[in-house]
Amino acid sequence: MELSVTFRHMEPSDALKDYARDKISRVEKFLDSAIEANVVLSVQKFRHIADVTITSDGLKINGQEQTDDMYSALDMVVDKLERQVKRFRQKQKTHKTNKRGKGKEGRLEAVESAEGRYQGIPARQMFAKPMDVDEAVMQLEVSAEKFVIFTNSATEKINVLYRSETGEFELIEPMTE
């Protein structure tokens, strides 16, 4: 576990660093790979704010809590992060696998013209992971990406989920004729 603790508008304390390390290690047991945690502890007037960001294998989880005591703020934010990780892991366990396998139907490919790929348009191949819409929403919430491309486990078709300018999630589903 890689942990960085930042203090803002308060004196650094080894006791708070150790407490944060102990609490974040509780979240680590729910994740398969090594995690990187950034903890920012700050004081604004009488509010003690704990802001924690955890990154593990492409999953990014953020939580923030504020109370009148820094230790309770850390407790509350770690509880919030644990709930998020548990919910994510539960959805992964109950997720139905793609019955067609991981062939070309799971890949998105750029359209080619007669001369080859379109000039000036960068193309990249992405694997469209099979998941349901709820899991895609959760993945988009915890990531910094603008969209998620996935194979809808209910329809077995490629879908795109993105966040609109208003902040609402919108889903693009293919039409069949």
Side-chain angles (χ1 to χ4, degrees), residues 104-121:
K104 285 205 177 232
E105 60 272 24
R107 294 192 172 274
L108 297 178
E109 296 182 7
V111 178
E112 293 187 17
S113 66
E115 303 85 39
R117 295 200 184 258
Y118 287 112
Q119 298 296 325
I121 300 175

Side-chain angles (χ1 to χ4, degrees), residues 18-33:
D18 292 340
Y19 191 76
R21 180 176 301 282
D22 292 342
K23 289 297 182 176
I24 298 297
S25 67
R26 284 181 26 197
V27 177
E28 185 179 26
K29 67 182 177 185
F30 295 110
L31 298 170
D32 298 332
S33 60

Side-chain angles (χ1 to χ4, degrees), residues 23-159:
K23 289 297 182 176
I24 298 297
S25 67
R26 284 181 26 197
V27 177
E28 185 179 26
K29 67 182 177 185
F30 295 110
L31 298 170
D32 298 332
S33 60
I35 69 170
E36 178 182 327
N38 296 317
V39 180
V40 178
L41 305 175
S42 62
V43 176
Q44 295 177 355
K45 293 189 181 182
F46 299 106
R47 295 179 307 190
H48 295 256
I49 302 169
D51 188 5
V52 179
T53 303
I54 294 178
T55 307
S56 173
D57 197 28
L59 176 67
K60 187 174 183 180
I61 300 170
N62 190 10
Q64 182 180 25
E65 285 295 333
Q66 58 185 2
T67 62
D68 58 349
D69 178 48
M70 188 58 73
Y71 290 97
S72 65
L74 275 168
D75 289 340
M76 292 171 65
V77 76
V78 168
D79 289 342
K80 182 185 282 188
L81 294 171
E82 277 185 356
R83 283 192 304 271
Q84 289 179 21
V85 171
K86 284 179 184 177
R87 186 173 63 219
F88 179 73
R89 289 294 174 209
Q90 186 63 32
K91 286 197 176 207
Q92 276 189 333
K93 287 180 184 176
T94 60
H95 173 64
K96 294 179 183 175
T97 59
N98 186 357
K99 294 177 183 133
R100 294 182 286 176
K102 295 182 179 178
K104 285 205 177 232
E105 60 272 24
R107 294 192 172 274
L108 297 178
E109 296 182 7
V111 178
E112 293 187 17
S113 66
E115 303 85 39
R117 295 200 184 258
Y118 287 112
Q119 298 296 325
I121 300 175
R124 65 179 181 179
Q125 293 184 346
M126 300 176 71
F127 181 75
K129 178 183 170 191
M131 62 178 87
D132 59 3
V133 177
D134 292 337
E135 185 178 355
V137 168
M138 187 169 57
Q139 188 69 28
L140 190 58
E141 284 178 333
V142 298
S143 74
E145 296 293 328
K146 296 177 184 175
F147 63 93
V148 173
I149 299 172
F150 64 101
T151 303
N152 191 329
S153 58
T155 63
E156 296 187 352
K157 296 195 183 233
I158 301 287
N159 288 173

